[in-house]
Structure formats: C-alpha cells, structure tokens
Amino acid sequence: MFILKDKTQLEKAIAKAKKIRPRVEFGGFGHYRVSGSKGFYTVICRKDERGLKTVDCTCKGAEKGLVCYHAASALSLHVGLARTRQTA
Ligand SMILES: [Zn+2]
C-alpha cells in the first residue's frame, strides 16, 4: 500500500504501464483488476478518513510500498472516473 501525494510518484510506473499495457478491468468505483506477469492483481483506490488517497495492490512490489505499474494503470482509469463523477 502507498499514499498518493503527487503525480511525480507515478512517473516511472506510468512509463512502465505504457510499455506493458496491462489489461484493466473495472470492478466497481475504486476497485480494479489489472493483468500482471502472474495473472490478475486487485487494486483498490480510496480516500482514508484523513482524506489521504491510498492505493493498494495485491502484487509483491506494492506489499513493500512500491508504486507498481498495476496501481498506475488503475489510477489512470480511476482519476478519469472520479472526474466524471464530480461533474455529473
Ligand atoms: Zn501491483
């Protein structure tokens, strides 16, 4: 799990995601399944009670607090959805 503070955190992971182009499946708002080297990983994006944006992924990298490309892929979808929600 990591806390999303600003976009620069995601730069490397986004670059990797662009190369790998994982499949992202929508599982409900803030809940995504992203394809990885060993099947699908589940990514959960949410705001905690302090208003911090937290991102959870079930892969090994994220367990260590790394920003993985699964999370970056899910976030790019999540951010778009969050925006349409706000304007709807
Ligand atoms: Zn991951």
Side-chain angles (χ1 to χ4, degrees):
M1 193 274 275
F2 66 92
I3 293 165
L4 183 65
K5 288 174 191 149
D6 69 277
K7 280 181 190 158
T8 56
Q9 276 175 287
L10 297 172
E11 277 171 1
K12 273 188 195 159
I14 287 172
K16 195 169 177 186
K18 278 183 181 161
K19 257 188 213 164
I20 297 170
R21 296 191 167 277
R23 213 182 123 92
V24 182
E25 288 180 3
F26 180 67
F29 187 67
H31 191 160
Y32 310 93
R33 276 159 48 85
V34 184
S35 65
S37 53
K38 288 180 180 136
F40 276 87
Y41 297 107
T42 302
V43 179
I44 309 287
C45 310
R46 64 183 156 210
K47 261 188 195 171
D48 74 2
E49 60 279 3
R50 289 167 296 170
L52 296 170
K53 290 176 190 162
T54 65
V55 185
D56 264 306
C57 178
T58 49
C59 77
K60 283 266 183 288
E63 263 176 35
K64 295 175 198 156
L66 298 173
V67 180
C68 59
Y69 72 89
H70 319 112
S73 307
L75 272 168
S76 63
L77 179 64
H78 182 69
V79 166
L81 290 172
R83 209 172 281 148
T84 32
R85 271 204 159 192
Q86 278 169 7
T87 51

